[in-house]
Amino acid sequence: MELRYALLASIALAGTSMAQWATPRQAMMNLAPASEQGQKQPAVLAANANGDSRDAGDVVFSEDFANGLAGNNGGVGAWTTMGPNGNLWYRKTTGPVGAYTNTNEIIASTTVSNGFMCFSSDSANTDWTTTPPEIVASPIPWEGSLVSPVLDLSATPFVELEWQQRLRWCCQDAPHYVEVSTDGGATWPTSIPASFGLALNVNSGSLTRKVNLTAGIAADPTNVKIRFRHNGDMGSSHYHWQVDDVKIVELYEYDLRMTSNGNTTWDSNTALTYDSIRYSVFPYNQLRPLGLNMTVLNNGSLDQDDVTANFTVTRSGTTVLDQDQPVPNFMAGETRTVYVDPGFTPPAEAGNYMVDMEISSGAEDQIPGDNTGTSSFAVSQHIYGRDG
């Protein structure tokens, strides 16, 4: 069914956007990690089981939580918890429980059979004296972190963190963060949203997430800690966050990755006007430059200087736009958002428009499956909408 919206309805339904900025910026911008806030001698993770130097794709650290906080990581060390509610992180072998949680919501991780770690915020906010159990009158936004042992990654400074998770949250901002310390846990200057791209109050299902650590550990790769933080400042009090099968993997030399893409740059959290609000259908008299964009990561261990971002727009097989944007001096571990330049304005021709985006370089990408992204929009003579 085609939905027709008045302007005020379109504004009221603005919602949130995956785009990065409220208004178009220059073609490339660096993205910096957000800031945030026990020590033993670190184990050196420098060679494989045969004593050889490591190769790209090798796992330099792994943890499946078979022993809970005690660790099952080849003797690297025990995990700890921190924060006023750190004790809500504990090992489980069954699904989470609580007033709003069912045990069948258990993570489907690779090693779920030997246990996983769970931040049980819903259970802690449940009144277990009632039948059936009910959420307490004033749910608390809990604060607690699951913290790795100290890791010496100096022999492998180009790595990414990989983990499996299942989560759900309510009722404000997402509280799930992966944070990195290079001073043994004294400070945590790198903070990465672990629930990026997921919706409020919807069970995520089981996911595998990967985060490049190169920039995050550069200050001192000999003294690294990783923590999974349920951030109480976000105001969310439940449901659960399950984590398992944590790995640190050595990167390939050449690996570009597209981490997100969008048709506009409108963000409800920062927008001052509605001039670039994201439509799914644009009427002729509302056509305007679109800030087509992609966020890309140099996930390799080598810098690259011949990277190209391509934007291609087609309508019924006819190419409307085919534009390359250079991405010069793309440093290992760096993330940039690249824009069409100048802003692309669709023609006043009705139809469905497919947007294909690709990041490439002169080097052979060793993991090419994550170099592309797609999106779409429509143009109509009189109809506009945001319903998709």
Side-chain angles (χ1 to χ4, degrees), residues 64-68 90-96 103 106-107 109 111-118 242 244:
D64 66 4
F65 299 111
N67 301 323
Y90 55 89
R91 177 179 175 269
K92 287 180 65 68
T93 56
T94 58
T103 56
I106 187 171
I107 187 173
S109 57
T111 65
V112 63
S113 61
N114 69 10
F116 55 93
M117 299 301 292
C118 181
Q242 303 167 70
D244 201 7

Side-chain angles (χ1 to χ4, degrees), residues 1 20 102 143 161-162 164 177 204 206 249 259 271 295 299 304 325 382:
M1 180 179 67
Q20 301 292 323
N102 297 316
E143 169 73 48
L161 174 70
E162 177 182 319
Q164 296 177 27
Y177 290 85
S204 71
S206 299
V249 182
T259 60
T295 299
N299 200 49
Q304 297 198 53
Q325 281 293 325
H382 301 298

